[in-house]
Amino acid sequence: MKRLSPGLFAALAIPVVLASLFVGPSDLVQARHIAQALTHPFSLPGDETLAMAREILLQVRLPRVLLAFLVGGALTTSGLSLQALVRNPLVSPDILGLSSGAACGAALALALPGIPLQPASFLGGLLAAGASYLLALNRRGLSILSLVLSGIIVGGVCTAILTLIQVWVDPFKLQTIVHWTMGNLHLASWEKLRSAAPLILLGLAGLYFMRWRMNVLALGDEETRAVGLNPEREKLFVLLPATLVASASVAVAGIIGLVGLAVPHMVRMAVGPDNTRAVPASFLAGGIFLVLVDDLARAITTFELPVGIFTTLIGGPFFIYLLKRSGAAFGE
Amino acid sequence: MSLDVQNLSFAYEQRVVLQNVSFTAPTGQFTVILGRNGSGKSTILKLLAGVLPFHSGRVQAHGQDLRRLSGSARASLLGYLPQFHRTVFPFAVQDVVLTGRAAFVLSTPGPRDRKLAQEAMEELDLLPLAERPYSELSGGERQIVLMARILAQRPRIILLDEPVSHLDLAHQQRLMRLLKRLTQEGTTVISVLHDPNAALLYGDHFVFLKEGRVIEPGGHPWSPTFMEEVYGVRTLAVPFGGGNLVIPEPAGGCHV
């Protein structure tokens, strides 16, 4: 099978990010503005249109594109790593009840006064994933089947609490909660990027370090022990950064469906199953994917549609098309 | 390096699988563990390989207690070929072989690890399959790939669980000859085998298990009496080399 190099995604990433700076409801921003802003980022322009364009470019579009890239890359890398961990390609970061937990935390913060939104949702995601993990532990270690089951249960409980909050709150808050859960890259800012980026980059570094060990782990517990590694420890070392990365992403951008499930598949189809290649390619491909989908979300309508709707509407059919075309992508 | 098993006992929940099993696998010899299905053969290997934890008994390799060893010390000592294996991800054969180096790799494998994996594949004629997806190989080919993984690991003791049960005759012979050669070079091999004839052909030292205990042959190990005790079936003995080839008695007896 012909394999693409992860370097191809790296080469694609820069033009995609640059081109995305042109996309948006305002037609003030032109190529010369971007060139000017890039070449002289700190000098103040004299002309008013230029100043406005510059403001849109640097304060609205650039943080948004960067956040979309970071979140897309983070969700995809987290999904790929968890798929290697549970040895099942049908898994996404949601498997640990993480998204529901994060949504639950966010809803609490939006419904009650005095709770900061982003930390609450981050903690909600971490707590849900932690609970799923602890429930799945038994005397013989971490059972993958139990992990999937406990993730479903924890996710279900969180969704129930979320619904309960939605029933109780006033309609205005209800709308905010619903919008939050659909993904909200349109609220991107440098501040949001600054708060999420360190956690996401830290987790990504951990996953990058573990990328070859994911190959070992994907072969099975017995096979991992047979070559002298402790599978429980290795699983935890993948699970921790994967959870960190996904929780921080959901906390800053809301629930963006399908990215963590579908993009890892596309990446494996492109670069092959070896995780030493697939992990860096996942970050780049996921970033490119979400930036492009967000471009569409901005370009199609004059008002903002939550990006989570688009990732599912566009990603879903495309994913099914790829699976059908490639046929037996996974052994059977 | 010899492996010394003393009073090993094991139970899955309430079901006792092994009771006070003791034996020694001598250095550079091919030790075969024989017995019926469910007699505890695979469990012994899993305990020795560290795949299952054991709480009663002791296993020493050259005087060192196996339970006290770190992961990489254990990996340079012991290699283990599980009974049956498959994976959902279509990893290339060379990537599976490379995982044999796991205990000696910090983050990603280096040139030396790649070289050892390459040599292991060469040894087992796997180079033509190097880029093929492991998940699309036949059971027999997968077994050879996992054997190459052990060679890349370079352990001094190799544990194998039914290594030839999925292999055709040619692969069987190739694998058994390789194991034989490894023992001549000083590696200790301990293998579970179903077929007493393969054991006779290649083995140096034999351990017979029945219902979780080691049983000793009173006289000749391949005698029909002892074979009946081990396997619970009547057999015919065909004299061969230093022992007997064993043929299960066909229905209605046999008239040779």
Side-chain angles (χ1 to χ4, degrees):
Chain A
M1 195 207 244
K2 206 165 157 281
R3 296 269 149 87
L4 301 175
S5 154
L8 182 74
F9 292 105
L12 262 175
I14 296 163
V16 165
V17 166
L18 281 181
S20 301
L21 292 176
F22 289 100
V23 182
S26 164
D27 49 12
L28 277 178
V29 182
Q30 292 160 8
R32 65 187 172 93
H33 301 139
I34 290 177
Q36 200 272 342
L38 286 177
T39 48
H40 302 91
F42 301 110
S43 68
L44 288 171
D47 133 38
E48 206 168 299
T49 338
L50 194 62
M52 183 86 95
R54 190 189 162 87
E55 190 68 12
I56 293 174
L57 198 62
L58 291 182
Q59 298 304 322
V60 180
R61 291 192 188 168
L62 190 58
R64 176 170 183 165
V65 171
L66 291 181
L67 188 69
F69 195 95
L70 193 65
V71 166
L75 289 174
T76 305
T77 314
S78 176
L80 180 96
S81 310
L82 291 172
Q83 290 173 2
L85 177 91
V86 307
R87 294 160 206 130
N88 190 325
L90 298 176
V91 155
S92 73
D94 302 342
I95 198 73
L96 302 165
L98 194 146
S99 301
S100 314
C104 197
L108 267 180
L110 291 167
L112 302 172
I115 304 179
L117 175 59
Q118 206 177 317
S121 123
F122 176 64
L123 276 180
L126 278 191
L127 282 178
S132 306
Y133 176 77
L134 290 176
L135 284 172
L137 272 186
N138 59 25
R139 272 187 301 119
R140 290 187 57 189
L142 180 68
S143 147
I144 296 300
L145 186 66
S146 310
L147 184 67
V148 173
L149 283 176
S150 62
I152 291 171
I153 291 164
V154 169
V157 170
C158 290
T159 308
I161 298 174
L162 173 67
T163 316
L164 202 60
I165 297 170
Q166 288 176 335
V167 169
W168 270 333
V169 293
D170 63 66
F172 176 71
K173 282 180 177 166
L174 175 63
Q175 194 188 10
T176 326
I177 294 174
V178 170
H179 265 267
W180 186 93
T181 56
M182 290 190 292
N184 49 33
L185 280 175
H186 54 285
L187 300 176
S189 64
W190 284 112
E191 197 201 329
K192 278 195 158 191
L193 191 62
R194 255 198 304 274
S195 65
L199 291 172
I200 292 179
L201 291 176
L202 183 73
L204 284 173
L207 292 175
Y208 186 76
F209 182 82
M210 293 297 289
R211 68 198 191 284
W212 184 71
R213 304 224 154 182
M214 292 176 198
N215 287 0
V216 183
L217 213 46
L219 292 177
D221 278 2
E222 273 197 19
E223 288 65 27
T224 305
R225 268 190 218 285
V227 292
L229 296 187
N230 178 353
E232 306 313 327
R233 207 177 65 174
E234 305 295 321
K235 279 184 219 167
L236 195 59
F237 286 170
V238 173
L239 208 51
L240 275 178
T243 306
L244 182 69
V245 156
S247 295
S249 298
V250 177
V252 73
I255 297 174
I256 298 177
L258 218 67
V259 176
L261 172 69
V263 186
H265 277 266
M266 301 176 193
V267 167
R268 270 194 300 262
M269 284 176 203
V271 305
D274 176 8
N275 290 305
T276 54
R277 291 154 60 84
V279 164
S282 281
F283 175 69
L284 296 165
I288 293 171
F289 177 83
L290 196 57
V291 166
L292 287 178
V293 172
D294 188 44
D295 285 348
L296 269 178
R298 274 184 287 163
I300 285 180
T301 56
T302 46
F303 55 97
E304 284 287 350
L305 276 177
V307 70
I309 299 174
F310 277 87
T311 53
T312 315
L313 278 182
I314 298 165
F318 182 57
F319 180 45
I320 288 169
Y321 162 75
L322 279 182
L323 279 185
K324 289 274 180 203
R325 211 191 55 161
S326 69
F330 285 98
E332 238 50 77
Chain B
M1 184 168 285
S2 66
L3 194 74
D4 207 19
V5 178
Q6 292 156 19
N7 297 319
L8 199 58
S9 297
F10 185 78
Y12 289 105
E13 305 296 332
Q14 297 301 313
R15 194 168 59 87
V16 176
V17 184
L18 294 175
Q19 291 182 61
N20 285 321
V21 169
S22 299
F23 66 89
T24 298
T27 310
Q29 288 204 12
F30 195 133
T31 298
V32 184
I33 302 175
L34 296 131
R36 290 188 61 178
N37 287 341
S39 60
K41 306 187 298 292
S42 297
T43 305
I44 289 191
L45 282 197
K46 284 182 182 173
L47 294 172
L48 298 185
V51 169
L52 283 177
F54 60 92
H55 306 294
S56 161
R58 196 151 68 149
V59 181
Q60 289 183 308
H62 211 72
Q64 285 175 288
D65 194 324
L66 273 196
R67 277 186 290 187
R68 301 231 174 104
L69 294 179
S70 71
S72 59
R74 180 190 269 280
S76 50
L77 203 63
L78 280 170
Y80 169 59
L81 183 70
Q83 194 166 8
F84 184 70
H85 180 244
R86 56 179 315 149
T87 168
V88 282
F89 296 107
F91 287 117
V93 164
Q94 55 189 3
D95 289 330
V96 174
V97 174
L98 198 55
T99 59
R101 304 296 306 156
F104 317 105
V105 166
L106 182 60
S107 176
T108 50
R112 186 180 131 79
D113 301 306
R114 292 185 187 282
K115 187 167 155 276
L116 288 174
Q118 191 76 9
E119 283 170 10
M121 286 192 289
E122 239 173 84
E123 178 96 70
L124 290 168
D125 295 329
L126 282 174
L127 287 180
L129 299 182
E131 307 271 346
R132 283 269 302 278
Y134 172 78
S135 48
E136 287 172 16
L137 302 182
S138 70
E141 287 170 322
R142 282 206 295 269
Q143 197 81 325
I144 303 275
V145 172
L146 290 184
M147 192 59 215
R149 182 170 108 126
I150 295 180
L151 291 185
Q153 186 183 338
R154 304 210 134 186
R156 300 167 73 178
I157 301 171
I158 298 180
L159 309 166
L160 308 102
D161 198 352
E162 306 288 359
V164 292
S165 46
H166 293 97
L167 304 189
D168 61 34
L169 274 181
H171 277 126
Q172 281 189 25
Q173 194 190 43
R174 214 169 88 210
L175 184 62
M176 294 306 272
R177 282 185 173 173
L178 170 76
L179 291 172
K180 195 74 194 168
R181 211 192 71 217
L182 288 173
T183 59
Q184 283 156 4
E185 292 166 3
T187 306
T188 305
V189 173
I190 304 172
S191 177
V192 166
L193 290 177
H194 264 314
D195 180 4
N197 295 326
L200 174 68
L201 287 175
Y202 296 98
D204 302 308
H205 184 74
F206 309 97
V207 177
F208 295 94
L209 278 187
K210 188 179 183 184
E211 289 158 13
R213 293 173 191 274
V214 174
I215 51 171
E216 300 285 346
H220 201 290
W222 312 106
S223 69
T225 349
F226 186 63
M227 283 293 109
E228 188 171 348
E229 196 189 337
V230 175
Y231 291 105
V233 287
R234 295 176 66 86
T235 58
L236 301 171
V238 182
F240 178 89
N244 294 320
L245 290 181
V246 175
I247 301 171
E249 198 176 86
C254 187
H255 311 284
V256 187

